[in-house]
């Protein structure tokens, strides 16, 4: 196992640090270990039985080979890569790019290792129009990667239809065929049908892997590979984390402890889980985590069908920025949150602070120090302040942010989610509540078969004058 392992630090949830009212006592930790240990074994068994296909992604050699072959083919003629997708078909792509490519990647050619990357996970017309105005005379150098497992998601389908028309109008049928890559179900669905009909290049969302667990499949790997990210490093990190999170010894298993700590606090009225990265690179992983946690754990029923309406609320914050917007609430508001800090020990690059002018000697203490020291001091300072207010905190620290450590992080949180699902007694892999909104959109947009639902929506859509001021 390579040296740079991410570390999970949980002393700051213990009663020893924040007191017995809010902290976890030794006996509570022992109880959590007893409750969680069988779930680790159960998950390992389910995995062997093929019930958690996401866990096999880092070991699949065909996916990266296929992704790399397509990336090698397309990169020479691609200056702009546009991902069209939403939810699990977009958040991982965004998070990988922010984490593993420089901040100015799109704007500074000297910092780019591949095409510019744009990910559209919304249907805001003004945003999309602005992009299309820019891209319309660059279409021959632009590849569109449409990602949709189902192939029928209204947002992604609409974007795809807009782009298809534009490609057909500007470049003809070959343009549509050559500039579009479809990532979708291997055998079924609307996008697969279109890909087959028009001979589009395509990649697969493996069977049984839900969107939010798919970043280590072609869904996340293709844009990463196109943009010069070492996808083998990502997968190696996930494989090495697989060993750690399969360990049936609770106190050696970071996913088990993380799931158990979250479960403990949920049951004790701390139902908000704040992820706060101290490092811009990790910012969008807080977004990715938010979807993973919310869609997986927010459920109405247990596995046995009892009504529970359960699930912690994930919140993203960014250190140091949100110290100046959220920390007042986090320290003095209700003690109803668990904080997960993400810390980076060594930044890819550091910047030294310049000398203070003579008239501002009070700034001397900053002069000559690195920004890396400042951001990490602020993390320690904020955590210290939260602990002084008896707020529980855990930290995941990265020696460095690189593909290998990011692969570990992704896999750690995916397995943490599965184990948390076991503790909450719910199905972590479905999302039934998302469906009604999707069906209602279809109905409002006039899809055949949605007439009845459209009628049901009318009274809610019609504004009641009595309540308008
Ligand atoms: O995690 C999920 O399953 C969802 O967020 C989906 O990824 C999202 O709804 C998009 O679905 P699809 O990939 O089918 O277009």
């Amino acid at each position: 196992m390579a040296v740079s392992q991410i570390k999970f630090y949980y002393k700051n949830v213990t009663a020893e640090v924040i007191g017995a009212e809010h902290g976890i006592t030794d006996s509570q930790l022992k109880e959590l270990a007893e409750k969680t240990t069988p779930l680790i074994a159960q998950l390992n068994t389910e995995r062997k039985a093929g019930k958690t296909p996401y866990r096999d992604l880092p070991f699949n050699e065909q996916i990266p080979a296929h992704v790399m072959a397509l990336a090698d083919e397309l990169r020479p003629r691609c200056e702009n890569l546009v991902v069209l997708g939403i939810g699990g078909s977009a958040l991982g792509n965004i998070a990988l790019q922010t984490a593993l490519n420089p901040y100015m990647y799109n704007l500074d050619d000297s910092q780019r290792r591949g095409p510019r990357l744009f990910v559209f996970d919304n249907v805001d017309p003004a945003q999309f129009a602005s992009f299309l105005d820019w891209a319309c005379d660059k279409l021959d150098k632009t590849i569109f990667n449409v990602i949709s497992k189902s192939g029928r998601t209204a947002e992604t389908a609409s974007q795809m239809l807009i782009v298809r028309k534009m490609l057909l109008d500007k470049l003809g049928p070959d343009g549509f065929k050559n500039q579009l890559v479809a990532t979708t179900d291997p055998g079924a669905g609307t996008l697969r049908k279109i890909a087959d009909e028009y001979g589009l290049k395509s990649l697969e969302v493996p069977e049984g892997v839900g969107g939010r667990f798919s970043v280590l499949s072609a869904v996340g790997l293709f844009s990463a590979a196109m943009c010069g990210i070492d996808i083998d490093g990502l997968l190696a990190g996930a494989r090495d984390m697989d060993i750690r999170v399969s360990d049936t010894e609770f106190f050696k298993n970071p996913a088990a402890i993380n799931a158990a700590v979250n479960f403990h606090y949920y049951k004790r009225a701390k139902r908000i889980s704040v992820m706060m990265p101290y490092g811009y690179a990790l910012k969008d992983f807080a977004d990715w985590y938010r979807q993973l946690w919310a869609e997986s754990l927010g459920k109405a029923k247990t596995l046995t069908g009892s009504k529970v309406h359960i699930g912690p609320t994930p919140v993203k914050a960014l250190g140091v920025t949100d110290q100046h917007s959220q920390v007042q609430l986090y320290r003095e508001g209700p003690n109803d949150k668990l904080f997960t800090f993400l810390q980076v020990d060594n930044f890819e690059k550091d910047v030294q602070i310049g000398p203070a002018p003579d008239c501002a000697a009070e700034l001397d203490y900053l002069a000559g120090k690195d920004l890396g020291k400042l951001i990490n001091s602020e993390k320690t300072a904020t955590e210290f302040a939260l602990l002084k207010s008896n707020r529980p905190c855990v930290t995941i620290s990265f020696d460095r942010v690189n593909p290998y450590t990011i692969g570990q992080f992704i896999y750690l949180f995916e397995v943490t989610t599965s184990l948390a699902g076991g503790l909450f007694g719910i199905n972590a892999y479905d999302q039934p509540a998302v469906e009604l909104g999707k069906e209602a959109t279809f109905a409002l947009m006039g899809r055949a078969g949605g007439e009845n639902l459209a009628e049901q929506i009318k009274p809610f859509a019609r504004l009641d004058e009595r309540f308008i001021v």
Side-chain angles (χ1 to χ4, degrees), residues 150-151 160 182 184-200:
S150 63
M160 193 265 290
T184 189
D185 188 274
T190 309
L191 188 54
R192 175 57 58 194
K193 198 167 60 180
I194 295 172
D196 290 348
E197 174 76 23
Y198 293 96
L200 304 180

Side-chain angles (χ1 to χ4, degrees), residues 412-433:
L412 169 65
F413 266 88
E414 288 179 343
V415 177
T416 300
T417 304
S418 290
L419 289 170
L423 286 163
F424 284 115
I426 50 90
N427 178 357
Y429 308 110
D430 64 359
Q431 56 284 325

Side-chain angles (χ1 to χ4, degrees), residues 112-157:
R112 267 199 302 125
R113 297 178 289 177
R116 295 176 198 89
L117 178 69
F118 304 91
V119 182
F120 287 98
D121 62 350
N122 207 329
V123 284
D124 182 290
Q127 182 201 26
F128 207 44
S130 167
F131 173 75
L132 295 175
D133 285 348
W134 178 84
C136 64
D137 60 354
K138 305 170 185 68
L139 292 177
D140 56 334
K141 295 189 171 56
T142 302
I143 299 287
F144 294 88
N145 179 204
V146 185
I147 308 178
S148 180
K149 185 177 164 63
S150 63
R152 58 175 212 139
T153 303
E155 296 87 343
T156 309

Side-chain angles (χ1 to χ4, degrees), residues 261-312:
V261 165
N262 274 276
F263 175 72
H264 171 89
Y265 280 117
Y266 183 85
K267 292 285 174 189
R268 281 166 183 75
K270 296 192 202 318
R271 297 188 162 185
I272 298 172
S273 186
V274 179
M275 180 172 278
M276 192 161 185
Y278 274 74
Y280 187 85
L282 298 170
K283 169 179 90 72
D284 292 327
F285 267 107
D287 255 337
W288 171 84
Y289 150 80
R290 220 161 46 114
Q291 185 207 9
L292 183 68
W293 211 236
E295 276 195 357
S296 302
L297 302 179
K299 296 289 152 74
K301 289 185 182 160
T302 64
L303 285 168
T304 51
S306 317
K307 266 199 170 190
V308 275
H309 294 292
I310 211 164

